[in-house]
Amino acid sequence: MGSLKQIQSISFIGSGNVATHLALAFMRSGLNIAEVYSPNNQHASDFAKMMNCSRLSDLSAINPDVDLVLIAVPDTKIGEVFKALPKIEGIVAHTSGFCSMSELLTAENFGVFYPLQTFTRNKEISFSEVPFCIEGNDEETSNRLADLAKRLSNNVHHIDSPDRRYLHLAAVMVNNFTNHIYHIAGDILENRNFDFNLLLPLIKETADKAKTIAPEKAQTGPAKRNDISTITEHEKMLIEYPEYRKLYSLISSQISKKYHG
Amino acid sequence: MGSLKQIQSISFIGSGNVATHLALAFMRSGLNIAEVYSPNNQHASDFAKMMNCSRLSDLSAINPDVDLVLIAVPDTKIGEVFKALPKIEGIVAHTSGFCSMSELLTAENFGVFYPLQTFTRNKEISFSEVPFCIEGNDEETSNRLADLAKRLSNNVHHIDSPDRRYLHLAAVMVNNFTNHIYHIAGDILENRNFDFNLLLPLIKETADKAKTIAPEKAQTGPAKRNDISTITEHEKMLIEYPEYRKLYSLISSQISKKYHG
């Protein structure tokens, strides 16, 4: 096998947070963003302006000679968007953690380009440590996508669809679930007229600690100590929040059980 | 009222993580750590060496002329330790988020000195942003404790015992509960031969995001989208983890309900 043909030009389907952050990072590393298609007019127009690329009003009009068509739309839309594409000469890939690569099975070359990260509008992200989970229908496609990811990150992995689903599940937990817990804690404080910001140093340190100590070993608190009287008092304090109380009791009992059998 | 008498000398009851980190920070800001008492011989001896202070083998022998006796022991031990103390000329305070100040009611001057943070052996912490929750039996005691806290932090608050309990409850959530979720996610990955470290950039960004976007607004993911098919697939993937599955279902249903009624 000769040297790989580098991906130089990329068209985006989708103009949300994942698409925007990836496109900006690609642009900064010298790649050409060719075209964008998105049903969201405002986002698509912002995206086209930002990336200095053309905006398509119809998927069938996409230039088939582009090196990569990257589908960065909600999971439930991937199949539908893919079906509307003409035959693409290069690679078609999606950015989903959950969807199988086989959703793109009828393309000539296809793969997955999943960044294991959360992206927020107007909040810059450093890509250099973001894990990229790469998959391709053959070795060449897979390596070309991995080379592309390596232009953004030092943390690139070849991971197949079944494994990637577990990474996505874990990501949902540490991102969405953690965020839900932040919300609950903040809600309780705001109802006592405290500012959510009081929790920020603890939130930061809790995340930071995970870098050096396995969470299992880092655990502390009333449930870890099996301190029933504090747990019971906390449950009483949550009497007006039946949902939060249910969550408090379930997690506390799981932690207690883990450390005290 | 004249100017406050500054706290200059502090004795510690307890030699765990809270005691050690506080004592080091006090020492660095020029305060005198006078004595330490702890039932844990090894910790007490390490503490005494590190702080260059005397180690007591009996609580009744504590020097009653010290400015502050700081009780940094597990919540369930505070009462017992306090009862064993002789009459102290200065202030007696504890560092608990949960226990009421009234546990120390029979002291001459008493209060609470609660740092809203998690402390880990051998992991340095910057105190400058740590919220300190201060309470005193009278204004002078309260102000003297607040002045002491201000030597370590720019984030010092006068907070009474009932309110402090809510802060502690919120702290248990964002620290212990979040840490439990990190553990679960890591466990699932390790069982697929993935490294927990793959989650660290996402963990960091999730925490970081809370600084600029209210968690309620930052929420994303299948439950937020009410994407039942992904949720159901995730639940199937957790078939071998009945406890994790229960937690997954509960949090997902709470998030879905929040955004979709």
Side-chain angles (χ1 to χ4, degrees):
Chain A
M1 195 174 89
S3 70
L4 285 176
K5 192 177 161 257
Q6 268 204 356
I7 292 170
Q8 305 278 10
S9 62
I10 305 169
S11 290
F12 276 84
I13 318 290
S15 57
N17 292 331
V18 176
T20 304
H21 281 91
L22 279 176
L24 277 173
F26 286 143
M27 219 170 53
R28 282 175 191 150
S29 49
L31 293 153
N32 171 39
I33 309 301
E35 299 176 321
V36 63
Y37 170 83
S38 168
N40 183 320
N41 285 326
Q42 186 57 52
H43 285 182
S45 135
D46 291 350
F47 184 106
K49 221 175 284 170
M50 217 182 319
M51 315 305 163
N52 192 25
C53 73
S54 345
R55 181 186 155 202
L56 301 170
S57 53
D58 190 333
L59 269 178
S60 65
I62 200 164
N63 180 348
D65 294 331
V66 73
D67 292 338
L68 171 65
V69 173
L70 206 49
I71 303 178
V73 300
D75 290 358
T76 48
K77 304 281 182 193
I78 292 176
E80 166 191 332
V81 155
F82 176 63
K83 275 191 205 96
L85 284 178
K87 188 173 178 304
I88 302 293
E89 291 297 316
I91 302 171
V92 180
H94 69 62
T95 58
S96 164
F98 182 74
C99 286
S100 169
M101 179 171 71
S102 63
E103 296 241 6
L104 311 174
L105 199 61
T106 54
E108 183 86 12
N109 303 292
F110 54 98
V112 177
F113 194 85
Y114 169 53
L116 180 50
Q117 186 53 285
T118 178
F119 300 98
T120 311
R121 196 154 286 265
N122 300 323
K123 183 173 186 307
E124 280 242 29
I125 191 130
S126 151
F127 270 98
S128 64
E129 291 181 358
V130 172
F132 275 86
C133 307
I134 300 298
E135 191 180 8
N137 67 300
D138 58 20
E139 205 183 330
E140 186 183 337
T141 303
S142 175
N143 286 336
R144 288 181 74 198
L145 289 171
D147 278 0
L148 177 67
K150 283 176 193 158
R151 295 184 70 153
L152 308 185
S153 167
N154 306 311
N155 200 355
V156 178
H157 305 267
H158 289 275
I159 289 170
D160 66 16
S161 289
D163 269 351
R164 181 164 32 79
R165 274 161 68 118
Y166 283 89
L167 284 166
H168 175 253
L169 171 57
V172 163
M173 289 175 163
V174 302
N175 177 248
N176 306 156
F177 288 10
T178 294
N179 190 64
H180 182 62
I181 285 170
Y182 295 167
H183 159 64
I184 287 179
D187 193 36
I188 292 168
L189 288 197
E190 280 157 19
N191 288 339
R192 302 286 296 189
N193 294 315
F194 284 117
D195 198 307
F196 174 72
N197 288 349
L198 278 170
L199 296 174
L200 289 176
L202 180 57
I203 284 174
K204 181 178 185 296
E205 180 66 14
T206 303
D208 201 46
K209 212 164 164 166
K211 281 194 264 178
T212 48
I213 305 168
E216 188 173 2
K217 297 215 166 101
Q219 194 57 283
T220 60
K224 162 73 187 296
R225 295 191 306 270
N226 206 20
D227 173 353
I228 308 292
S229 94
T230 302
I231 292 172
T232 309
E233 285 300 316
H234 278 164
E235 285 169 341
K236 280 188 205 156
M237 288 161 66
L238 291 172
I239 195 96
E240 286 163 52
Y241 306 91
E243 293 289 326
Y244 300 172
R245 186 176 170 165
K246 214 159 139 186
L247 188 54
Y248 181 95
S249 301
L250 181 63
I251 300 187
S252 292
S253 82
Q254 291 194 359
I255 297 172
S256 287
K257 205 189 280 179
K258 174 166 174 52
Y259 295 94
H260 300 272
Chain B
M1 194 176 84
S3 70
L4 286 176
K5 192 178 160 256
Q6 269 204 356
I7 292 171
Q8 306 277 10
S9 61
I10 305 169
S11 290
F12 275 84
I13 319 289
S15 57
N17 292 331
V18 176
T20 304
H21 280 91
L22 279 176
L24 277 173
F26 286 143
M27 219 170 53
R28 283 177 189 148
S29 47
L31 293 153
N32 172 39
I33 309 301
E35 299 177 323
V36 63
Y37 171 83
S38 168
N40 183 318
N41 285 326
Q42 187 55 53
H43 285 182
S45 138
D46 290 351
F47 185 105
K49 220 174 286 169
M50 217 181 320
M51 315 304 163
N52 192 24
C53 73
S54 341
R55 180 185 155 199
L56 300 170
S57 55
D58 190 334
L59 269 177
S60 66
I62 200 164
N63 180 349
D65 295 331
V66 72
D67 293 337
L68 170 65
V69 173
L70 205 49
I71 303 179
V73 300
D75 290 359
T76 48
K77 304 281 181 193
I78 293 175
E80 166 191 334
V81 155
F82 176 63
K83 276 192 204 93
L85 284 176
K87 188 175 177 304
I88 302 293
E89 291 297 318
I91 302 170
V92 181
H94 69 62
T95 59
S96 165
F98 183 74
C99 285
S100 169
M101 179 172 71
S102 62
E103 295 243 4
L104 312 174
L105 200 61
T106 56
E108 183 85 10
N109 304 293
F110 55 99
V112 178
F113 194 86
Y114 170 54
L116 180 49
Q117 186 51 286
T118 178
F119 299 99
T120 311
R121 195 154 286 267
N122 300 323
K123 183 173 186 307
E124 280 240 30
I125 191 131
S126 150
F127 270 99
S128 64
E129 292 181 357
V130 171
F132 276 86
C133 307
I134 300 298
E135 190 178 9
N137 67 300
D138 59 20
E139 205 182 329
E140 186 183 339
T141 302
S142 175
N143 287 337
R144 288 181 73 199
L145 289 170
D147 279 359
L148 178 67
K150 284 177 193 158
R151 295 184 69 154
L152 308 185
S153 167
N154 306 311
N155 201 356
V156 178
H157 306 266
H158 290 275
I159 289 170
D160 66 16
S161 289
D163 269 351
R164 181 165 30 79
R165 275 161 66 117
Y166 283 89
L167 284 166
H168 175 254
L169 171 58
V172 163
M173 289 175 165
V174 301
N175 179 248
N176 307 156
F177 289 9
T178 294
N179 191 64
H180 182 61
I181 286 171
Y182 295 168
H183 159 64
I184 286 179
D187 194 35
I188 291 168
L189 288 197
E190 280 157 19
N191 288 339
R192 303 285 296 191
N193 294 314
F194 285 117
D195 198 306
F196 174 72
N197 287 349
L198 278 170
L199 296 174
L200 289 176
L202 180 57
I203 285 173
K204 181 178 185 296
E205 180 66 14
T206 303
D208 201 47
K209 212 163 163 165
K211 281 194 263 178
T212 48
I213 305 170
E216 188 173 1
K217 297 216 168 98
Q219 193 58 282
T220 61
K224 161 75 187 297
R225 295 192 306 269
N226 206 21
D227 173 353
I228 307 291
S229 93
T230 302
I231 293 172
T232 307
E233 285 300 315
H234 279 164
E235 285 169 341
K236 281 188 203 157
M237 289 160 66
L238 291 171
I239 195 96
E240 286 163 52
Y241 306 91
E243 293 289 328
Y244 300 173
R245 186 177 168 163
K246 215 159 138 186
L247 187 54
Y248 181 95
S249 301
L250 181 64
I251 300 187
S252 292
S253 81
Q254 291 194 358
I255 297 173
S256 287
K257 206 190 281 179
K258 174 165 174 51
Y259 295 95
H260 299 272

